[in-house]
Amino acid sequence: MQNFSFYNPTNIVFGEGQLRELDNLVPKNAKVLVTYGGGSAKSTGLLDKVKSELVKSNREVLEFAGIPANPKLEVLIKAIELVREEKIDFLLAVGGGSVIDGTKFICVAACADEFVGRERELMNFGFNPVPVDRAIPFGTILTLPATGSEMNNGAVITDGKDKLPVFSTQAFPKFSILDPTITYTLPAKQVANGIVDSFIHTVEQYITFPAEGRFQDRTAEGILQTLIEIGKKTYENPEDYDSRANLVWCSTMALNGLIGAGVPQDWATHMLGHEITALTGIDHARTLAVVQPANWRIRKEQKKEKLLQYAERVWGITEGSEDARIEKAILKTEEFFHSLDIPTKLSDYNLGEELIEKVLVSLGNHGMTALSEHGDVTLDVSREILEAAI
Ligand code: NZQ
Ligand code: ZN
C-alpha cells in the first residue's frame, strides 16, 4: 500500500427529515447566503423549508440563484462580489454538484484577496491546491447524488471555454445534509447520471494496478456491486427509500477520499470527459460512459490484473481466456449503463473525428498530456481512446 494522508472533516447528517438539524448546524449568529441553481430548489419547495429552518434563530438570510449546471465563472464572480459587499459569513449550497462546486469556489475566491479581479487564475492550479489559507465556511444540502462534492474538497469550474478542476484544503463543507427523499424530485435522467458518475469515480480509483490496498479494493467492489444492485431499481422507482438511500451513500463514499487513499488513481476518463462537456455541453456522467469502456479496451494491458479482478469479483466472470474475461466485463459494464438509458458511444451523439481533434487541442492547452495512474496517456493515447469510443 502507498503512503497517504487522509483528512476529511465534513459532518454528514444522513436520513429522512434531517433538514430539521439545519438550525443546529449553521452558526447561530451567521449572516447566511443560500446558493442554488436554475430553479428546482424553489419549485420543489425545498428552498422555503430551508429558509424557515434558518430563521428559527433569527439569522439574516440572503439568496443567490442561478448557478448553472457546469458552474460558470462569470456567474460565480457576481456571488463573490455579493459575499464581499454584504460581509456574508456562512454559505449554504442547496443543490447538486454544480451548485456545491460553485459555492466552494465562491467561498475560496472571496477570501483570496490577491486574486481580486483575477479569479480566473484560481482555475490554473490543476491538481495542486490553490494557495489560500482561509475560506468562508459553508454547508450543503445535497439534492443530487453523483459527484461526492458534498464530502470532498474539489470543484470543477468552467469559464465558458475551459472546464477545469480546482482544489483547496479549505473547500471541505462543514456539514452536508443527505436526505434521500430530497432527491425524489430528480428527473430520471439525472438519477441515471448520478449512478454512472458514482460508478466511474469508483473505477478511476480501483481499476489501475495492484497495490495491496485490500480494504480499498473490497470497499470499491462493494460500492460497484451496490450500484449494480440498486441502480435500475432507484432509476425506475424513485421513491423506494432504501434503494435511493444506498445510492446517496455510495455516491458520497465513492469520492470522499476513502477508497483512493494509498492506491494508484487514474482520472484520465474524467479529464477527457471534461473536455467533451466543455466542447459539447453533454452531461458530465454521459461523457464518462462513452470514454471509460474505450479507455479500458485501449489500456487493457496496463490494467490487466485489476480488470480481471473486476471481472471476477464484481461480475462473477471466471471462465474463458484473460482477454475474453476482460471484454465480457467491459460489455457487462456497457449493458449496465444502457439499462439506465445511457449511451456508450460518441456516435450515439452524432460525434466523431471532428470532435476528437478539438478535444486533443484542449487537452494539449491544459497540459493534460501525461494522464492516468502511469502518466502514460499522452495525446496519442488519448486519440486512440477517443477513436475507440466512436
Ligand atoms: O439547476 P437546477 O434547477 O437546480 O436543476 C438541476 C440541474 O439542472 C437539477 N437538479 C438537481 N437536484 C434536483 C434537480 N432537479 C430536480 N430535483 C432535484 N432534487 O439537476 C441538474 C443537474 O445538476 P448538477 O448539479 O449539474 O449535476 P451533478 O450533481 O451531476 O453535478 C455535475 C457537475 O459536477 C462536476 C461535474 O463536472 C459537473 O460540473 N463534478 C464535480 C466533482 C467534485 N466536486 O468532486 C467530481 C465529478 O467528477 C464532477 O466532475
Ligand atoms: Zn465525475
Side-chain angles (χ1 to χ4, degrees):
M1 198 184 305
Q2 300 173 349
N3 292 355
F4 64 87
S5 151
F6 175 68
Y7 172 74
N8 195 313
T10 302
N11 177 11
I12 296 293
V13 183
F14 191 102
E16 181 164 15
Q18 292 288 32
L19 198 58
R20 72 175 85 90
E21 288 302 314
L22 192 57
D23 186 33
N24 298 323
L25 292 164
V26 177
K28 298 282 179 203
N29 54 358
K31 184 169 179 181
V32 182
L33 181 66
V34 179
T35 52
Y36 56 97
S40 75
K42 213 170 204 168
S43 61
T44 58
L46 177 60
L47 192 69
D48 283 342
K49 288 186 199 153
V50 166
K51 286 195 288 191
S52 58
E53 289 299 327
L54 287 173
V55 297
K56 279 185 181 160
S57 295
N58 296 319
R59 296 178 185 88
E60 197 176 339
V61 179
L62 281 75
E63 285 176 36
F64 185 86
I67 298 180
N70 305 312
K72 278 212 176 55
L73 183 70
E74 58 179 333
V75 176
L76 304 179
I77 287 175
K78 290 192 185 119
I80 293 164
E81 286 163 0
L82 180 67
V83 165
R84 289 201 177 112
E85 272 163 35
E86 293 289 341
K87 301 199 174 7
I88 297 292
D89 41 36
F90 198 92
L91 275 83
L92 182 64
V94 181
S98 294
V99 171
I100 299 175
D101 284 8
T103 303
K104 288 177 178 175
F105 191 84
I106 297 164
C107 290
V108 169
C111 296
D113 295 336
E114 61 278 36
F115 289 90
V116 177
R118 299 189 288 124
E119 286 80 4
R120 169 66 182 76
E121 290 176 32
L122 293 169
M123 290 169 59
N124 291 342
F125 290 90
F127 288 106
N128 300 314
V130 299
V132 291
D133 53 14
R134 200 169 66 84
I136 298 176
F138 70 100
T140 88
I141 295 170
L142 182 73
T143 66
L144 195 172
T147 62
S149 188
E150 66 278 8
M151 199 179 179
N152 70 36
N153 65 338
V156 186
I157 308 297
T158 175
D159 65 357
K161 187 163 94 39
D162 301 319
K163 184 169 191 238
L164 296 167
V166 179
F167 293 87
S168 165
T169 50
Q170 307 302 312
F172 285 99
K174 294 288 170 211
F175 66 82
S176 285
I177 295 182
L178 275 51
D179 175 346
T181 67
I182 287 178
T183 74
Y184 287 173
T185 55
L186 280 166
K189 179 185 172 191
Q190 296 297 345
V191 177
N193 285 353
I195 296 163
V196 170
D197 196 18
S198 308
F199 197 96
I200 306 282
H201 292 159
T202 309
V203 298
E204 293 263 34
Q205 302 163 88
Y206 163 62
I207 301 186
T208 55
F209 56 86
E212 278 297 324
R214 289 167 184 254
F215 164 79
Q216 296 89 322
D217 278 9
R218 289 204 162 84
T219 309
E221 288 152 2
I223 293 172
L224 297 173
Q225 285 171 316
T226 307
L227 290 171
I228 293 163
E229 245 166 51
I230 55 88
K232 202 163 158 56
K233 249 181 164 173
T234 194
Y235 177 59
E236 288 177 348
N237 307 295
E239 302 201 9
D240 168 349
Y241 180 83
D242 288 323
S243 298
R244 186 56 58 90
N246 276 287
L247 169 60
V248 172
W249 193 221
C250 279
S251 75
T252 301
M253 294 304 283
L255 198 50
N256 66 355
L258 183 74
I259 62 168
V263 296
Q265 304 189 17
D266 184 342
W267 299 111
T269 294
H270 266 71
M271 295 310 116
L272 270 62
H274 287 161
E275 302 299 0
I276 298 173
T277 297
L279 289 161
T280 65
I282 296 175
D283 292 347
H284 170 63
R286 286 166 192 259
T287 66
L288 306 177
V290 164
V291 177
Q292 187 67 77
N295 181 352
W296 285 340
R297 288 194 171 103
I298 295 301
R299 299 180 56 239
K300 71 178 171 199
E301 273 313 309
Q302 293 89 324
K303 290 180 177 290
K304 188 170 178 170
E305 284 148 298
K306 293 306 283 286
L307 278 168
L308 288 168
Q309 182 178 323
Y310 168 67
E312 179 172 349
R313 293 202 196 164
V314 175
W315 294 108
I317 301 166
T318 53
E319 307 275 305
S321 67
E322 289 185 340
D323 264 6
R325 278 179 273 155
I326 288 173
E327 183 55 25
K328 197 162 175 196
I330 299 174
L331 287 170
K332 282 279 190 192
T333 310
E334 288 176 320
E335 264 172 38
F336 176 53
F337 297 165
H338 296 161
S339 77
L340 304 167
D341 301 317
I342 300 236
T344 50
K345 292 286 177 202
L346 282 175
S347 48
D348 294 319
Y349 299 94
N350 295 320
L351 295 167
E353 287 296 342
E354 209 178 309
L355 174 77
I356 293 177
E357 295 308 323
K358 291 184 188 157
V359 170
L360 292 170
V361 171
S362 298
L363 285 170
N365 289 342
H366 298 146
M368 305 277 182
T369 54
L371 298 170
S372 92
E373 66 274 23
H374 293 292
D376 61 354
V377 176
T378 58
L379 290 182
D380 285 343
V381 179
S382 287
R383 180 188 292 280
E384 280 183 70
I385 293 172
L386 292 165
E387 281 177 352
I390 293 180

